[in-house]
Amino acid sequence: MSKWTLLLCCFAFCFSLTDCCRTETNPFPVPERAAGQTDVLQLRCDPIPVVRVAFVGVGMRGIEAVRRFMYLDGVEVKAVCDLSAEKVAKANEILERNNRPKADEYVGEEAWKELCERNDIDLVYICTDWSTHTPIAVYAMEQGKHAAIEVPAATTVADCWRLVDTAEKTRRHCMMLENCCYDFFELTTLNMAQQGFFGELVHGEGAYIHDLRFLNFDEETGYENMWRLKENTEHTGNLYPTHGLGPICQIFNIHRGDRMATLVSMSSDQFGMKAYAEEKGLSERLGDDFMEGDMNTTVIKTAKGKTIMIQHDVTSPRPYSRIHLVSGTKAYACKYPNPCIAVEPNAHSVVTPAQFDSLMQVYEHPFIKEIGEKAREVGGHGGMDFTMDYRLIYCLRNGLPLDQDVYDAAEWSCLTELTEYSVKNGSIPVEIPDFTRGAWQKINGLSFAQ
């Protein structure tokens, strides 16, 4: 073998190693944006004076959404779709009780396609099981409709890219219905951050800690066909990241001047759900292998050096918590287990109840001032669901950018697969795709449209 042949072999080997390393460190590379396709940051569409809505999926979440829409101005419910004719009929009963015209009924596994193809619908509101969120939203946008999707918007990185690319190609809104962004404490801390109350933001924490064992295992009152339990048996990592992550990402201006860059994820072993299955006599039917550990903890670092911690636990006997912790160079706030605020120069202790109430009033978010009283009256997780619906319709009617865009939907949802990959590979660092393909640097600290 000549020295030149040997040298070429060495170069080829080095390039091969580089490719292997690239694949290992970045298993989720960013695909090139298609020719003629541009980002949809701050997307504005023509105002829709009366938003014509179709609901796909009217189970636990969907039927409540139909009820809340009865309190909104400028909407018409044109169609309702579900696998169950009984559930569709119940949705129409709500319309009839509120003196609204009956909606057209669609029943069946693919009936939503015919619904999306109608010419008299502006918004498709999707409340189905996780696996069908993306295909329905993509098809709706391809038919010229705006899409609103229950959480998570997608369960794989590939589906996150499908949502992003379809929104960019069609120039249609795609909003994930992350209601926790509209809870009153979260909105107030968002306003605090935007007003500089925390100083330079350093660290945030969120979680979904919610004992769901009863709903997971009960076929009558729980999830239909126990579909959510199947997610726990077949996957690991953080299966439901967006409730805790979404409000923190908005406070940290993710893809609006900063971006989540890398994560590391670790899960405990499985103890609680396996024991619960044995106690309820379901082990034979479900098997002994639950992939999801009781507690998953994920740590994220942003491009600008901030850190975020997100947790997931749906099998432990613990009080409900989303944590919602915001820490900066001047102040700190945390919602669970008890809302509190600490401020320099005496941040070693939290402020008094009177001082806390005063700060919450001073920094009350404009949305709360505008719609808070009615939101509490209508309800939906204390009012945050109604505030979310109100803002979605308000922005569509006025031709404004939505509070949550398709990049929020993709960035927050992609943790499902990224955390699983990290856990399965010894908690290795994983790069988080830049779904904006660099456009996040164009904006600095975008506030919600007013």
Side-chain angles (χ1 to χ4, degrees):
M1 181 182 293
S2 71
K3 65 178 182 180
W4 296 111
T5 303
L6 182 61
L7 188 60
L8 287 172
C9 287
C10 288
F11 272 121
F13 180 68
C14 289
F15 278 121
S16 176
L17 281 179
T18 302
D19 287 339
C20 288
C21 291
R22 184 180 299 118
T23 302
E24 182 64 25
T25 58
N26 186 14
F28 303 97
V30 175
E32 295 236 356
R33 182 177 270 131
Q37 189 173 308
T38 58
D39 70 74
V40 286
L41 284 171
Q42 296 180 293
L43 175 68
R44 290 175 180 264
C45 296
D46 292 338
I48 308 172
V50 178
V51 181
R52 299 166 298 178
V53 186
F55 288 92
V56 180
V58 283
M60 285 193 292
R61 290 293 291 157
I63 199 72
E64 272 297 296
V66 173
R67 181 190 68 82
R68 295 192 304 271
F69 266 64
M70 299 301 96
Y71 296 88
L72 292 172
D73 296 327
V75 297
E76 292 178 357
V77 179
K78 305 294 289 186
V80 180
C81 177
D82 198 274
L83 296 173
S84 164
E86 182 181 356
K87 290 178 181 177
V88 168
K90 285 183 178 178
N92 257 326
E93 288 174 10
I94 293 174
L95 295 176
E96 291 174 347
R97 284 200 302 269
N98 287 274
N99 300 314
R100 303 289 184 101
K102 185 177 180 180
D104 292 335
E105 298 183 352
Y106 293 81
V107 179
E109 285 192 10
E110 295 199 340
W112 52 269
K113 289 184 178 179
E114 185 181 352
L115 176 151
C116 290
E117 291 164 1
R118 292 174 53 147
N119 294 322
D120 61 344
I121 291 171
D122 304 301
L123 172 69
V124 178
Y125 197 107
I126 304 162
C127 301
T128 57
D129 69 279
W130 298 350
S131 66
T132 55
H133 287 178
T134 298
I136 298 173
V138 165
Y139 195 74
M141 287 187 282
E142 290 174 340
Q143 302 305 310
K145 315 301 188 288
H146 300 298
I149 325 170
E150 260 296 345
V151 302
T155 58
T156 67
V157 174
D159 275 352
C160 288
W161 280 116
R162 286 180 66 198
L163 292 172
V164 167
D165 286 333
T166 305
E168 290 185 352
K169 288 173 186 174
T170 62
R171 317 305 290 176
R172 296 292 88 187
H173 289 299
C174 180
M175 173 179 167
M176 182 168 65
L177 296 163
E178 185 39 81
N179 55 347
C180 294
C181 291
Y182 297 90
D183 209 352
F184 298 157
F185 190 88
E186 282 84 337
L187 280 174
T188 299
T189 50
L190 173 66
N191 194 36
M192 285 175 163
Q194 291 174 339
Q195 301 300 323
F197 175 81
F198 295 106
E200 181 74 23
L201 293 170
V202 177
H203 177 74
E205 296 182 11
Y208 186 68
I209 297 172
H210 189 186
D211 187 354
L212 291 178
R213 288 173 298 175
F214 174 73
L215 284 175
N216 269 318
F217 284 93
D218 193 291
E219 290 191 81
E220 291 186 9
T221 60
Y223 300 101
E224 187 168 344
N225 296 320
M226 296 196 291
W227 64 263
R228 190 155 177 175
L229 176 61
K230 293 173 185 175
E231 296 291 332
N232 287 272
T233 60
E234 297 171 1
H235 296 282
T236 185
N238 190 322
L239 302 182
Y240 204 60
T242 70
H243 280 342
L245 182 63
I248 296 295
C249 282
Q250 291 192 320
I251 287 172
F252 277 65
N253 295 325
I254 297 303
H255 84 245
R256 300 170 175 92
D258 198 358
R259 60 173 291 263
M260 296 186 292
T262 58
L263 66 77
V264 172
S265 188
M266 180 179 294
S267 290
S268 73
D269 289 345
Q270 175 52 247
F271 303 99
M273 187 170 286
K274 184 176 180 180
Y276 194 80
E278 291 174 355
E279 178 188 334
K280 297 297 180 181
L282 293 169
S283 295
E284 241 183 73
R285 177 179 170 189
L286 298 169
D288 295 324
D289 187 18
F290 289 88
M291 288 186 65
E292 176 71 336
D294 286 347
M295 170 61 80
N296 174 268
T297 299
T298 300
V299 179
I300 300 163
K301 192 165 187 179
T302 75
K304 293 194 172 179
K306 316 300 177 67
T307 56
I308 300 170
M309 187 272 285
I310 302 295
Q311 291 187 318
H312 176 274
D313 182 349
V314 296
T315 65
S316 299
R318 295 178 53 174
Y320 179 89
S321 174
R322 298 196 303 273
I323 300 178
H324 191 69
L325 183 152
V326 183
S327 181
T329 56
K330 293 183 178 179
Y332 159 99
C334 188
K335 182 173 182 180
Y336 295 92
N338 298 303
C340 64
I341 296 172
V343 188
E344 279 194 324
N346 298 312
H348 193 269
S349 300
V350 298
V351 300
T352 66
Q355 291 170 324
F356 176 88
D357 291 342
S358 176
L359 287 169
M360 293 295 287
Q361 184 174 0
V362 168
Y363 288 98
E364 186 177 53
H365 195 280
F367 294 174
I368 304 174
K369 294 177 181 177
E370 177 186 358
I371 201 67
E373 186 176 344
K374 185 174 183 180
R376 291 184 181 94
E377 176 188 336
V378 175
H381 291 97
M384 63 184 180
D385 292 358
F386 180 75
T387 305
M388 172 185 69
D389 293 334
Y390 172 84
R391 283 294 303 170
L392 168 61
I393 297 303
Y394 178 89
C395 291
L396 290 176
R397 294 185 69 194
N398 290 278
L400 296 171
L402 302 190
D403 301 335
Q404 299 172 47
D405 60 25
V406 71
Y407 304 115
D408 293 311
E411 289 157 352
W412 306 347
S413 298
C414 79
L415 260 70
T416 300
E417 184 173 7
L418 299 186
T419 57
E420 180 170 38
Y421 185 90
S422 179
V423 170
K424 285 184 173 180
N425 289 276
S427 299
I428 63 170
V430 179
E431 292 185 31
I432 301 172
D434 175 10
F435 290 98
T436 72
R437 296 177 170 105
W440 63 273
Q441 300 173 83
K442 298 192 308 185
I443 304 172
N444 187 20
L446 175 69
S447 301
F448 287 169
Q450 298 299 309

